[in-house]
Amino acid sequence: MNHVSCALAPRFAHIPLLSCLLLFLIGAALPAQAQLSDSFADGNFIENPAWTGDAASFEVNTALQLQSNGPAVTGTSLQLVTPSVAASGTTWEFYANLKLATSSGNLADVWLLSDQSDLRAASNHGYFVRLGGTPDEVSLFRKDASTSAAYVINGRDQSLNSSTNNLVRVRVTRAADDTWTLETDLTGTGQSYTTEGTATDATYHASNYLGIALTYSSANSRSFYFDDFRVSDQQAPQPLTVTPTAARQLDVQFSEAVIEAQLASNYQLKNSTPAISAARRDASDNTLVHLTLAADLPLGANTLTVQQVADLFGNTLTTPAQVDFVNSGFAVQPGVNQVLITEILADESPVVGLPASEYLEIFNPTTQVISLAGLRLLKLGSSTAAVFPAGASLQPGEYAVVCSSTRGSLFASAGKVFALSNFPSLNNSGDELVLRARDGKTLFSVSYSDTWYKDAVKKEGGWALEMVDTTNPCAGIENWTASTDASGGTPGKANSVQATNGDHIAPVLQKAVAINATTVRLYFAEKLDSVAAANPVLYTLPGGPAVTRAVVASPGFQTVDLELATALQPSQKVTVQVQNATDCVGNAAGPATSATFALPSVAEAGDIVVNEILFNPRTGGVDFVELLNRSGKYLDLQGAQLGNIKADGSVDTETISADTYVVAPGQLLVLTTRPDIVRAQYPTNDPAAFLTMSSLPSFPDDAGQVVVKTAQGLVLDQVAFSAKQHLAVLSDVNGVSLERIRPEGPSTAANFHSAAGSVGYATPGRRNSQFQEDPNGSKIFTLEPEIFTPDGDGQQDFTTLNYALNEPGNLASVTIYDAQGRLVRRLVRNETLATKGFVQWDGLTDQGRKASVGYYLLHIQLLQPKGGTKREYKRTVVVGARL
């Protein structure tokens, strides 16, 4: 449409004369490319309309079709463009024939919307239809600046599967609501269109060019044919959003570009109050109109009615359109969780489709305009912060990208970008990020980890972490996951993983720990309401000292330190009760939740011992060491060391816990780097029994020594282990732990045995399968059990010869004979015994073979230290077998 006439255009008959004359003048000035049509019937492509670019590599052939005619060189890329501003409410149509076998190196991209004339520029953005490629398909893509293209509509594979004649007509429609429809007609007639798919994408509403981009191998330089390009816009522009930006200004966002000349009379607020005094199209964004009001806009809900606004092609909004909006005021200072970090790209390599730069995304979840001026972004522990500049703000529901000051241009297509000095360097494996107000108050924090990806491939780089539900900002791993967007993330817009994932669970008090005699630290499973949690009235210690003060730790808000009026006594069990603990989204814990604790005592050698060790895990498994507090004291493992004594005497150690970690009497504690793997391979009902260590000492698969030391270097326990200690009948000891038999027994090989097969060959966090009570009684030598079945099933796998002597230093020998009197096993040879202990027989002979089923005699010789008196004892035992 090159002009508008009030006499010849009935659809404008209802427009007031002034508006009609204005449209006439505008229509007369519209450029020729306003609605594009080119069948190349004039025999050229350099005018009506003019195509530019690699013009020397194209021609109009005798069939009056545009044909490629470039260099016969593999890897050649060609392009032609022509001006086109149609962007929404538009239909694009064209004919193509690719007389070649399409592939990743032989394809055509027809750009419907392009920001730049250089279609191949990394910074270009827009939408294009791809013909061919590896899937031999017709599909619609979106290209963002400095990123790889992403599917909008993925067409049928193998629709262009001919090696000589891929004929197709393509029709793409974009409705005013940003619904795209892709259709193809493989007959080339335009009479048999088939829908390839529909999708919604509102990323770009402006265009400057339509174009063709080709890539081919040497044999296909003349194999691309195009015809019948037609771009038509028959839909009027639609107002999408209305945003108050100042006391007397509104911004109206349209679905497509509108004419530059705007009339204030085409816009009206509810009840005509206040009046709109001026309307002006934005200088750089022709889809945006700024309205000036005659008086201040009142707070609250409002409605804007829009009519008689025309697009660049003369389509006029004749039916009034209404848009509801809310004026919540302007640029208020944010409160807690009113500015959120909703997306994190910590590892930008390898590039998937996002810019090669770390970035964060922030979001305003409120209905108010939030002032960011002076807001500080920092990494916990860092001495520097990135500060947002004066005038920075976020509109209600608006997203923005935050990146380094040198990387802002990479995110030009993402909308609002804050490129800040001192942007923190993000650790790939995890960091704690904090947003603080100008007064230092913590507004939001997130302590992310690469485990949040829940995807082994995506955690290796190029993919962003995204928040699932922005109404649940306090949650951690359960509300974050890897982006599912094809480009690797969604900077500046709603997250690809967006879904309802609310928090309706009250905060759980996980544990209480006495930091010192007058301070108790409470650990909660999630972030608390920091104001409510600071009220000391919520906390009581029945029968114990009063709570004088409660301090909630920032920025995590998951721990509360209680200051007590009087000192606690060591290892005296105390209960703390919490009334109505409330999390940061308002869930309350009810009348009371409680935990027990005690002030730790000083640890002595033997108080904490190695109770179980897995040093040769099965495939995909990890090592673990289980400790047991066999004392009657509460003991703190802060700074304690777990080590392996090497063959040369040096010790490879790792810190068990850098923070206070108190173990109660009788408590089991499993140390490992991957509790999830251990629990999956050896089920337990007590996940709290596990303590994650960043790394364990290297425990050899054949033999080594485990040592546990206090922070001051006192050896609590030391255990030598060897693969030879395992039950000989086991054909495979991978994944089989060695368990302590008697908790009170010595840390010697005789007090450890292979875990039973009936419990899965290990019992982390549970009582050992080979556990034995320490027997009492006056007999010098007793056997338990008297019948045993050494088959590895965990039921009576060995027998134990217990002894209780009157004095130390006795020299003993124990020899086993079968029923015929033949020597079977020399179990003990001239060993000095303690006053109390035991010796186990696993049913093996001296040759390492399993003893036959039957009766056996244990001949015990005891030489007393005083006077050299020699005594002999005999005990009978039966080696059995299960039927």
Side-chain angles (χ1 to χ4, degrees):
M1 179 178 295
N2 293 323
H3 64 277
V4 177
S5 169
C6 292
L8 297 179
R11 60 179 174 148
F12 296 117
H14 60 285
I15 303 176
L17 179 59
L18 179 60
S19 296
C20 187
L21 290 174
L22 181 61
L23 282 172
F24 175 84
L25 294 173
I26 294 167
L30 286 176
Q33 74 271 17
Q35 285 181 301
L36 184 147
S37 179
D38 198 347
S39 63
F40 307 104
D42 57 1
N44 72 74
F45 59 88
I46 58 173
E47 57 184 2
N48 297 323
W51 296 76
T52 58
D54 297 317
S57 295
F58 289 87
E59 66 180 15
V60 175
N61 60 24
T62 56
L64 298 181
Q65 293 179 332
L66 181 67
Q67 181 180 356
S68 61
N69 186 24
V73 177
T74 296
T76 296
S77 294
L78 304 177
Q79 62 178 345
L80 281 182
V81 296
T82 188
S84 176
V85 295
S88 187
T90 301
T91 298
W92 294 264
E93 300 173 85
F94 62 90
Y95 163 98
N97 193 353
L98 276 60
K99 297 185 178 182
L100 49 82
T102 67
S103 66
S104 60
N106 290 279
L107 55 85
D109 291 337
V110 177
W111 284 73
L112 312 180
L113 280 73
S114 176
D115 177 59
Q116 300 179 29
S117 60
D118 184 358
L119 305 177
R120 294 168 295 204
S123 58
N124 191 30
H125 62 258
Y127 300 90
F128 63 83
V129 172
R130 173 158 291 174
L131 307 175
T134 302
D136 300 325
E137 64 186 6
V138 180
S139 293
L140 178 65
F141 284 82
R142 185 188 77 241
K143 168 68 171 59
D144 301 323
S146 301
T147 65
S148 301
Y151 278 111
V152 176
I153 298 174
N154 187 352
R156 296 167 296 159
D157 291 358
Q158 299 298 309
S159 58
L160 304 181
N161 58 5
S162 171
S163 60
T164 59
N165 191 47
N166 291 295
L167 182 66
V168 64
R169 279 189 183 268
V170 178
R171 181 166 64 195
V172 180
T173 303
R174 184 188 194 181
D177 64 356
D178 295 308
T179 299
W180 294 79
T181 302
L182 172 64
E183 300 173 280
T184 57
D185 177 1
L186 299 181
T187 69
T189 64
Q191 303 299 314
S192 303
Y193 278 109
T194 298
T195 300
E196 298 285 343
T198 61
T200 299
D201 190 298
T203 308
Y204 304 114
H205 286 96
S207 176
N208 293 312
Y209 298 95
L210 178 141
I212 303 168
L214 311 180
T215 300
Y216 59 78
S217 56
S218 59
N220 299 316
S221 62
R222 292 180 52 80
S223 299
F224 297 85
Y225 298 77
F226 298 94
D227 206 351
D228 297 336
F229 283 94
R230 178 174 176 79
V231 181
S232 58
D233 180 349
Q234 303 298 329
Q235 297 186 32
Q238 296 293 318
L240 302 177
T241 61
V242 176
T243 305
T245 57
R248 297 190 179 189
Q249 183 169 305
L250 294 175
D251 280 359
V252 186
Q253 183 71 58
F254 283 90
S255 61
E256 59 178 310
V258 296
I259 59 175
E260 182 176 2
Q262 293 290 310
L263 298 177
S265 58
N266 291 341
Y267 303 88
Q268 187 178 63
L269 285 169
K270 181 172 60 178
N271 302 324
S272 301
T273 304
I276 296 173
S277 58
R280 175 180 58 86
R281 192 182 74 175
D282 187 83
S284 58
D285 183 355
N286 55 19
T287 67
L288 183 65
V289 173
H290 305 293
L291 303 181
T292 301
L293 312 183
D296 287 354
L297 183 70
L299 296 175
N302 213 320
T303 302
L304 180 71
T305 301
V306 183
Q307 59 183 337
Q308 307 302 341
V309 175
D311 65 15
L312 300 182
F313 315 114
N315 301 305
T316 303
L317 181 62
T318 56
T319 302
Q322 293 185 329
V323 181
D324 296 328
F325 67 97
V326 176
N327 176 23
S328 303
F330 306 97
V332 300
Q333 294 299 312
V336 174
N337 292 329
Q338 291 187 333
V339 182
L340 309 178
I341 295 173
T342 53
E343 189 167 334
I344 302 168
L345 182 67
D347 187 357
E348 71 274 26
S349 178
V351 171
V352 173
L354 296 169
S357 171
E358 296 178 349
Y359 72 85
L360 303 176
E361 175 189 80
I362 58 174
F363 172 63
N364 174 5
T366 76
T367 57
Q368 299 177 305
V369 180
I370 295 296
S371 172
L372 301 178
L375 190 74
R376 292 184 292 156
L377 166 67
L378 65 151
K379 188 165 68 172
L380 195 64
S382 174
S383 59
T384 59
V387 181
F388 286 77
S393 66
L394 276 181
Q395 297 296 314
E398 185 178 25
Y399 295 86
V401 172
V402 185
C403 62
S404 169
S405 59
T406 61
R407 301 300 180 94
S409 61
L410 298 179
F411 297 95
S413 65
K416 183 172 286 187
V417 178
F418 296 105
L420 305 180
S421 299
N422 296 322
F423 180 81
S425 176
L426 306 180
N427 192 302
N428 295 348
S429 60
D431 261 323
E432 185 162 9
L433 304 173
V434 184
L435 290 173
R436 287 201 171 120
R438 287 182 293 185
D439 61 3
K441 181 180 180 181
T442 296
L443 303 178
F444 178 81
S445 69
V446 58
S447 183
Y448 72 90
S449 165
D450 59 8
T451 60
W452 289 16
Y453 283 95
K454 310 178 187 82
D455 187 302
V457 175
K458 291 182 178 180
K459 72 178 287 188
E460 294 304 317
W463 293 85
L465 283 171
E466 295 184 347
M467 183 183 285
V468 176
D469 187 347
T470 57
T471 67
N472 185 15
C474 306
I477 187 172
E478 64 273 17
N479 197 40
W480 285 77
T481 192
S483 175
T484 58
D485 190 89
S487 67
T490 54
K493 60 184 180 181
N495 289 342
S496 62
V497 299
Q498 189 176 42
T500 300
N501 186 37
D503 178 6
H504 306 292
I505 300 174
V508 175
L509 175 59
Q510 294 177 313
K511 63 178 180 178
V513 173
I515 302 300
N516 53 51
T518 57
T519 306
V520 179
R521 180 165 296 164
L522 307 184
Y523 294 81
F524 290 85
E526 58 180 314
K527 293 182 181 180
L528 300 175
D529 180 329
S530 59
V531 175
N535 185 356
V537 177
L538 298 178
Y539 312 95
T540 57
L541 280 66
V547 177
T548 60
R549 186 170 178 238
V551 179
V552 186
S554 173
F557 302 134
Q558 287 185 245
T559 63
V560 182
D561 282 357
L562 306 181
E563 296 181 7
L564 308 180
T566 57
L568 298 167
Q569 297 303 309
S571 288
Q572 289 190 2
K573 189 175 180 180
V574 183
T575 298
V576 59
Q577 291 184 342
V578 184
Q579 301 287 334
N580 294 314
T582 305
D583 66 19
C584 80
V585 293
N587 299 307
T593 181
S594 63
T596 58
F597 68 97
L599 179 66
S601 298
V602 177
E604 299 178 80
D607 282 349
I608 291 180
V609 295
V610 175
N611 194 54
E612 184 174 357
I613 176 171
L614 178 68
F615 54 91
N616 50 349
R618 64 184 62 158
T619 302
V622 293
D623 291 354
F624 73 78
V625 174
E626 181 185 73
L627 304 182
L628 167 66
N629 179 1
R630 66 179 184 183
S631 75
K633 301 179 289 188
Y634 286 79
L635 302 171
D636 187 3
L637 290 179
Q638 183 176 22
Q641 302 287 310
L642 177 69
N644 173 56
I645 302 177
K646 300 180 181 179
D648 61 3
S650 62
V651 184
D652 175 19
T653 61
E654 296 289 344
T655 300
I656 294 175
S657 175
D659 301 319
T660 298
Y661 198 98
V662 177
V663 289
Q667 181 179 338
L668 294 173
L669 182 62
V670 182
L671 308 177
T672 183
T673 58
R674 292 293 302 272
D676 55 330
I677 293 177
V678 176
R679 289 199 297 266
Q681 294 185 345
Y682 308 101
T684 177
N685 295 324
D686 188 12
F690 289 78
L691 176 60
T692 304
M693 293 178 60
S694 58
S695 60
L696 287 183
S698 178
F699 296 118
D701 288 350
D702 53 352
Q705 290 191 69
V706 187
V707 63
V708 183
K709 297 181 180 182
T710 67
Q712 293 73 34
L714 174 67
V715 174
L716 294 174
D717 194 28
Q718 183 173 323
V719 175
F721 63 86
S722 169
K724 295 179 180 179
Q725 291 174 241
H726 282 298
L727 188 64
V729 298
L730 295 175
S731 59
D732 183 3
V733 296
N734 291 320
V736 182
S737 72
L738 287 176
E739 295 180 330
R740 180 180 286 265
I741 298 171
R742 292 183 182 171
E744 299 304 323
S747 295
T748 60
N751 197 26
F752 282 82
H753 194 278
S754 301
S758 60
V759 296
Y761 293 109
T763 54
R766 294 182 289 162
R767 193 169 92 160
N768 289 348
S769 61
Q770 305 295 4
F771 171 85
Q772 282 187 358
E773 295 283 0
D774 196 3
N776 294 314
S778 58
K779 290 184 178 181
I780 296 178
F781 290 100
T782 59
L783 268 173
E784 170 136 7
E786 294 181 348
I787 301 175
F788 72 107
T789 54
D791 54 12
D793 66 351
Q795 304 295 317
Q796 299 174 330
D797 281 337
F798 55 90
T799 188
T800 305
L801 177 66
N802 304 291
Y803 59 87
L805 306 175
N806 294 327
E807 55 185 341
N810 285 275
L811 199 63
S813 295
V814 181
T815 309
I816 302 173
Y817 299 91
D818 65 13
Q820 285 74 41
R822 292 173 296 194
L823 176 65
V824 174
R825 179 81 175 268
R826 296 186 185 274
L827 197 61
V828 176
R829 296 186 182 186
N830 297 324
E831 290 186 12
T832 301
L833 302 183
T835 56
K836 187 178 180 181
F838 67 94
V839 178
Q840 62 164 286
W841 182 38
D842 56 9
L844 298 182
T845 69
D846 279 338
Q847 290 73 39
R849 293 190 291 269
K850 182 178 177 182
S852 303
V853 173
Y855 285 90
Y856 291 84
L857 177 71
L858 273 68
H859 180 229
I860 307 161
Q861 292 178 317
L862 193 65
L863 181 64
Q864 293 181 320
K866 293 181 180 179
T869 302
K870 183 176 182 182
R871 296 183 182 181
E872 295 189 11
Y873 303 85
K874 295 180 181 179
R875 297 290 183 269
T876 302
V877 69
V878 176
V879 174
R882 297 188 186 278
L883 301 179

